[in-house]
Amino acid sequence: EGNELVIDVKSEIGYVGHCSGDVQQTLRVLDEVLAAQRTLFGANDDRTVRTLINKGTIYTNLGKRREAEELLTQATEMRRALYGEDHPSFASALYNLANITRVTQGLVPAEAMYRQVLAIQERRLVPDHYFTARTRLQLGQTLSRLKQWDEAEQLLLKALDAISNRDGPVLVRSNWVRDALATLYIAQDKFELAECTLMDMLATAQRFASSKDQAASTRRAIGLMVELYEKWGKADQAIQWRVRLNAEPD
């Protein structure tokens, strides 16, 4: 029991290190955790799977695609063996695999994975669960890039409806959905809808608790405003927003 506690604490240290940006220390800690988990719990324990997913996610963020895909594929197959294919834990692993698959293999294979994840989550999770909204965002972005505009828009609107009134980190992520919606509308020349969405994005950013998150989201929205008005043919407004963008802190 004492060994299990030490491993759990180290796993949390690894997670905190990832969040704080100390990536190499995080990987060293997670390697220690993974070796200990395999010794103490066995190779097919779900705690081992969680560590594989954490490492795979870090490798994804580092751009180490081959390593990420290998770890996340292993984690997904382990969850399939542990829970079957109609379980939220399997869906969670498959979601992470879909994220790297979109980069390594393209949009169409990732689309199929996101659809499978969403089907499981809609059956097995409570309505408006954050994980379901997150999958709708990723699938919506994927379909948008495939120019399947109508379905993409509906998925993104559902995702936004589920999380737009929440606080904390989820409020920040609601602007990720607004970003995707505005990008979709600009691509389709739906300028009024894009403008409304971006104004909402700017207003929402002012409610963020973190000044760093607020600045990043504000810069992104202003950048999209410039893109919107340039494509709309409103040069004066594009210039005004570009001046504001240049004045924003990085």
Side-chain angles (χ1 to χ4, degrees):
E1 184 177 347
N3 287 338
E4 290 186 26
L5 179 60
V6 170
I7 292 171
D8 288 342
V9 169
K10 281 191 172 183
S11 181
E12 288 302 315
I13 290 172
Y15 178 76
V16 171
H18 177 208
C19 293
S20 66
D22 191 351
V23 176
Q24 295 308 317
Q25 175 64 15
T26 296
L27 290 172
R28 285 192 293 270
V29 171
L30 290 180
D31 282 339
E32 293 177 15
V33 169
L34 192 57
Q37 286 172 331
R38 284 170 169 161
T39 299
L40 190 60
F41 308 133
N44 295 320
D45 188 90
D46 193 64
R47 286 162 287 193
T48 306
V49 178
R50 289 200 300 270
T51 304
L52 288 172
I53 291 173
N54 285 339
K55 281 193 68 178
T57 302
I58 293 171
Y59 280 135
T60 298
N61 294 337
L62 290 173
K64 295 186 175 183
R65 301 171 181 177
R66 182 184 62 79
E67 294 92 334
E69 188 170 26
E70 181 178 330
L71 287 169
L72 294 172
T73 299
Q74 185 180 350
T76 302
E77 291 307 313
M78 289 170 68
R79 284 260 172 96
R80 191 196 309 271
L82 284 167
Y83 301 111
E85 292 191 354
D86 193 33
H87 193 283
S89 293
F90 170 73
S92 179
L94 185 61
Y95 170 86
N96 285 284
L97 180 58
N99 289 341
I100 190 61
T101 297
R102 186 164 58 180
V103 177
T104 59
Q105 299 183 39
L107 298 171
V108 173
E111 176 195 349
M113 291 183 179
Y114 286 131
R115 288 190 184 280
Q116 185 178 357
V117 172
L118 184 59
I120 297 166
Q121 291 171 335
E122 288 180 336
R123 285 195 301 270
R124 300 298 302 274
L125 298 179
V126 297
D128 294 337
H129 194 286
Y130 170 68
F131 283 0
T132 309
R134 183 181 66 175
T135 303
R136 286 182 178 132
L137 168 59
Q138 296 299 333
L139 179 56
Q141 288 178 314
T142 300
L143 294 178
S144 182
R145 291 172 63 184
L146 290 168
K147 298 184 179 181
Q148 297 180 33
W149 308 118
D150 291 344
E151 186 180 4
E153 181 182 7
Q154 292 306 308
L155 285 164
L156 293 172
L157 288 171
K158 282 185 178 181
L160 186 59
D161 184 61
I163 64 176
S164 60
N165 293 319
R166 302 187 192 180
D167 294 321
V170 176
L171 182 65
V172 176
R173 291 161 192 161
S174 74
N175 263 5
W176 300 355
V177 184
R178 293 181 180 91
D179 184 330
L181 270 170
T183 301
L184 179 150
Y185 290 141
I186 292 170
Q188 295 182 87
D189 295 343
K190 294 183 176 181
F191 300 128
E192 292 86 355
L193 286 172
E195 183 180 47
C196 181
T197 302
L198 290 172
M199 293 302 293
D200 190 26
M201 184 175 172
L202 284 166
T204 301
Q206 298 308 305
R207 296 164 51 200
F208 293 173
S210 164
S211 58
K212 182 178 178 180
D213 288 336
Q214 183 181 117
S217 192
T218 298
R219 281 190 61 84
R220 173 61 180 166
I222 293 172
L224 286 171
M225 280 291 197
V226 174
E227 181 182 340
L228 164 65
Y229 287 122
E230 286 179 343
K231 193 176 183 188
W232 202 347
K234 296 188 175 185
D236 290 345
Q237 287 170 273
I239 291 170
Q240 291 173 7
W241 282 100
R242 188 173 293 282
V243 168
R244 180 173 171 183
L245 179 63
N246 292 335
E248 286 288 322
D250 292 329

